[in-house]
Amino acid sequence: MDGHWCLNIEGEWNMSRFTLRKLAAAALALAMGVGLAACGGGNANNSNGGDNDSSLTIAKPDGTVGSQNNNPFISDSSGSKLGYTTAIYEPVGIMDVLDPSRETKPWLASKIEWATDYKSVKLTARDGVKWSDGEKFTAEDIAYTYQLFVDHPELDLNALGVSGATVDGNVATVTFSESMFTKRDRVLHKLIVPKHIWSKQPDLTTFKNENPVGTGPYKLKQFSSESTVLVARDDYWGGKPAVKTLYYQSYNDNTMLVNALANGDVDWAQMSQPPNVSTYLNKDKEHNKNWAPTVLAADILYLNTTRAPFNDVAFRKAANMVVDREKHAKIAREGIVPVITSVTGLPTPAGDDFIVDKYKGQETKVDVAGAKKVLTDAGYTYEGDKLMKDGKQVTVTLSVPQGWTDYVTGISLIADELKAIGVDAKTKTPDSDTWTENINTGDFDAVLHWVDAGTTAYDFYSDTMDGRWLKPIGEAASYNFGRYDNDEATKALSTYANTSDDSEREKALETLEDLWVEEVPAIAVGNRPMTVQYNTRKFTGWPDDSDPYVAADPTFPTTSYLLMQLKAAK
């Protein structure tokens, strides 16, 4: 599937409706034969007149980019789609979503102080920072940026609920309507914009920001639909970047992009499931990398708990017992992701710190015989190999969009596994718009989808169990698509997010994991890592398994930090 991941510019790893539109646009561009820069072959860096030894070409498989828009708070702007605004603008702090236990790294804020209830944070503006137009960076810029989300909530893509921002000397204090314990990364990863420019704009929701002024290590040199060029600043507060020029391009699909990576036309890319990844890796085994570190996200089989057979917890348990997660990782994901093993559903090692003691070391296993016993104990019967209920064979339909190859393969595997316990399991692959509508309104039996990644276990369980997402069948839900309705889960999630008592939070987490194991509100099928591709021919210092110091997605708001760690290869 092309770009199922959508990393929004505040640093939340999720899939938005915008991404579905991007998929359609990319497909249309491919069908119409739209050509993008470097797609026809040749070295992308050379075609842009760049110095190969000091430049990086960065690309995504998102099709036509369209007109220039450098507003970092508009999700479908060219800057957000290609990700180049993350090298121009910077966040106040950097949280490692790959390892949430690591301490937050101060960035534009030299000091970050959260209130004990996480309803406010004090941010001390770093001294010596200048905007790219020479103006001094101050706490006023920090406060102004967060106040934007009060005055223009439509620009707050994470709906953080900022209630205000004030300044006292070099300290900006930001307040929130509720605890930000589970959203600290999204708060700190907001990109800061200059008050002296943005405050003069009549309408920030339509502001295209054609001459972006940032604090980051790069500034915009040239924009075109074929290639956007950024050049390194010589007055950047963090020093001089080793990478002198960044070229941003968009390819029509994953296949074109992985070929460009293999040919050396692209240096750095983000594809969640690159096709024929072994071809790319084998082209230069020493330097070509496909890095897929786990985060607290997973591919989830959402089960419609309002209709049979998934309204029966016994059937949900039996289905969970036959899903072969190892096979899913090996076949559907081509062996590039780790297997989900914990009975809590949480991916490991990213989720290790959030698995309560009673479930540590408890792993899922395929147990067809055990699943059949669960079913017969619950009153199901067999006629030959057919699982029967009320005189009829149990039937389910699994759905994902056409063309999302890893997902199509995934539900085909699950259908075969359900057939092993006598279920008449079918698959359906509608277009993405129909699929999305069906998910939102609850018109499905089971669908393979995902949960958002965060720095705690909250999003994983909220997206699948939280009553705050509940909508009647026929009305659009944002998450908890399976309409799992359990007051105990909703209460535990609220406690986990809002309490300032660590022991209460731990009890709430145990309740959530108990419900996940005993009630099976959904099924965790596969890991959903932050997969990226890069080569080490020109630059070293990239994050990898030996030093996973930051997420490597080039559209992530911590890109400036990563770029400043790169050194010219010797």
Side-chain angles (χ1 to χ4, degrees):
M1 161 192 171
D2 288 349
H4 317 248
W5 280 115
C6 175
L7 229 201
N8 72 35
I9 43 120
E10 282 75 31
E12 176 181 0
W13 191 250
N14 76 335
M15 177 70 165
S16 67
R17 301 288 73 81
F18 155 65
T19 310
L20 297 174
R21 292 196 298 272
K22 286 201 300 182
L23 289 163
L28 177 61
L30 181 60
M32 295 177 65
V34 174
L36 299 177
C39 290
N43 187 284
N45 294 341
N46 286 338
S47 68
N48 285 299
D51 179 349
N52 285 343
D53 292 332
S54 62
S55 68
L56 285 176
T57 296
I58 302 166
K60 292 203 70 184
D62 293 341
T64 305
V65 173
S67 61
Q68 181 180 7
N69 187 326
N70 306 317
N71 190 325
F73 306 130
I74 296 178
S75 62
D76 60 354
S77 70
S78 59
S80 297
K81 290 174 72 173
L82 289 174
Y84 60 82
T85 50
T86 63
I88 297 172
Y89 296 102
E90 299 179 293
V92 292
I94 293 170
M95 287 192 69
D96 186 358
V97 297
L98 307 180
D99 183 1
S101 66
R102 291 193 182 195
E103 288 189 11
T104 299
K105 185 175 185 64
W107 203 245
L108 284 184
S110 59
K111 188 175 183 181
I112 299 168
E113 299 175 274
W114 284 99
T116 56
D117 61 2
Y118 291 95
K119 289 186 177 181
S120 66
V121 61
K122 290 183 177 181
L123 304 166
T124 302
R126 182 177 294 277
D127 289 334
V129 177
K130 289 187 177 181
W131 295 99
S132 56
D133 64 357
E135 291 289 324
K136 182 181 178 181
F137 163 78
T138 71
E140 292 284 350
D141 297 305
I142 297 175
Y144 172 79
T145 299
Y146 286 98
Q147 185 64 35
L148 281 181
F149 308 123
V150 179
D151 301 335
H152 303 281
E154 62 271 35
L155 296 179
D156 182 7
L157 302 183
N158 291 126
L160 294 177
V162 179
S163 57
T166 59
V167 175
D168 182 8
N170 67 340
V171 177
T173 300
V174 185
T175 55
F176 307 91
S177 58
E178 60 184 14
S179 170
M180 290 292 107
F181 176 78
T182 64
K183 298 180 180 180
R184 286 166 291 164
D185 58 322
R186 298 166 203 178
V187 171
L188 300 181
H189 287 171
K190 290 285 188 183
L191 298 176
I192 304 302
V193 297
K195 178 181 179 180
H196 68 280
I197 292 176
W198 282 60
S199 63
K200 298 175 182 177
Q201 306 308 315
D203 186 354
L204 294 178
T205 63
T206 60
F207 178 39
K208 292 187 177 181
N209 193 27
E210 292 180 350
N211 298 298
V213 171
T215 60
Y218 295 87
K219 56 186 178 182
L220 179 66
K221 179 180 180 181
Q222 173 188 321
F223 173 87
S224 76
S225 60
E226 293 185 343
S227 180
T228 296
V229 184
L230 270 60
V231 293
R233 291 173 56 184
D234 57 11
D235 60 346
Y236 177 57
W237 66 269
K240 293 185 178 182
V243 183
K244 302 304 181 185
T245 309
L246 301 175
Y247 299 102
Y248 289 83
Q249 299 176 339
S250 183
Y251 284 74
N252 280 356
D253 60 19
N254 282 0
T255 300
M256 283 185 172
L257 180 49
V258 81
N259 288 339
L261 282 161
N263 294 334
D265 294 334
V266 171
D267 300 302
W268 187 9
Q270 185 274 312
M271 289 180 284
S272 63
Q273 187 65 39
N276 303 315
V277 67
S278 59
T279 301
Y280 153 67
L281 294 173
N282 291 334
K283 192 72 175 285
D284 185 348
K285 293 182 179 180
E286 181 181 356
H287 299 105
N288 288 352
K289 309 296 180 182
N290 184 82
W291 189 41
T294 61
V295 290
L296 284 164
D299 286 326
I300 298 290
L301 192 67
Y302 283 84
L303 313 173
N304 192 334
T305 62
T306 69
R307 65 165 67 163
F310 291 114
N311 60 351
D312 182 358
V313 66
F315 186 82
R316 299 199 300 268
K317 283 185 175 181
N320 187 46
M321 293 169 71
V322 298
V323 171
D324 191 333
R325 294 159 177 86
E326 186 171 350
K327 184 183 289 185
H328 178 88
K330 182 178 181 180
I331 298 176
R333 298 305 303 272
E334 299 184 32
I336 67 171
V337 303
V339 180
I340 279 190
T341 57
S342 173
V343 295
T344 66
L346 294 173
T348 56
D352 285 347
D353 289 342
F354 301 98
I355 297 173
V356 299
D357 289 343
K358 69 189 293 184
Y359 293 120
K360 287 187 184 298
Q362 291 195 37
E363 298 186 350
T364 60
K365 61 180 180 179
V366 177
D367 186 359
V368 174
K372 288 182 175 181
K373 185 176 187 305
V374 168
L375 292 167
T376 54
D377 287 349
Y380 292 82
T381 60
Y382 279 92
E383 289 186 6
D385 293 333
K386 296 180 180 179
L387 180 66
M388 308 296 289
K389 183 74 170 179
D390 300 327
K392 297 179 180 180
Q393 185 178 11
V394 175
T395 301
V396 300
T397 300
L398 312 176
S399 176
V400 298
Q402 58 189 349
W404 293 12
T405 53
D406 54 328
Y407 268 28
V408 171
T409 302
I411 63 167
S412 297
L413 293 172
I414 295 170
D416 288 343
E417 289 151 7
L418 291 175
K419 289 174 184 177
I421 55 173
V423 178
D424 180 14
K426 301 179 175 67
T427 61
K428 185 166 64 174
T429 56
D431 63 84
S432 61
D433 287 342
T434 300
W435 178 76
T436 301
E437 177 70 16
N438 290 343
I439 291 175
N440 291 346
T441 59
D443 186 13
F444 65 90
D445 290 341
V447 294
L448 194 57
H449 197 275
W450 50 85
V451 292
D452 291 344
T455 53
T456 72
Y458 176 81
D459 289 294
F460 184 97
Y461 293 123
S462 175
D463 288 356
T464 52
M465 294 195 283
D466 202 337
R468 73 188 178 97
W469 300 116
L470 276 177
K471 296 289 184 183
I473 294 294
E475 292 186 18
S478 297
Y479 268 111
N480 191 0
F481 303 115
R483 270 69 176 179
Y484 178 72
D485 191 357
N486 188 311
D487 290 341
E488 189 177 8
T490 302
K491 181 180 178 182
L493 284 160
S494 179
T495 298
Y496 186 88
N498 293 293
T499 187
S500 56
D501 185 327
D502 288 342
S503 64
E504 287 299 312
R505 184 175 289 116
E506 186 72 9
K507 290 178 184 177
L509 182 59
E510 182 170 342
T511 296
L512 294 169
E513 294 182 5
D514 284 342
L515 291 171
W516 181 269
V517 172
E518 298 300 326
E519 291 278 319
V520 193
I523 297 174
V525 176
N527 249 303
R528 194 170 183 77
M530 280 188 167
T531 309
V532 294
Q533 300 76 36
Y534 59 78
N535 71 66
T536 59
R537 284 186 290 274
K538 293 186 287 187
F539 298 97
T540 61
W542 297 90
D544 57 20
D545 286 338
S546 66
D547 186 13
Y549 62 84
V550 75
D553 186 294
T555 68
F556 210 57
T558 53
T559 296
S560 291
Y561 173 53
L562 188 158
L563 286 165
M564 293 306 295
Q565 310 312 305
L566 300 183
K567 305 298 179 186
K570 296 180 180 179

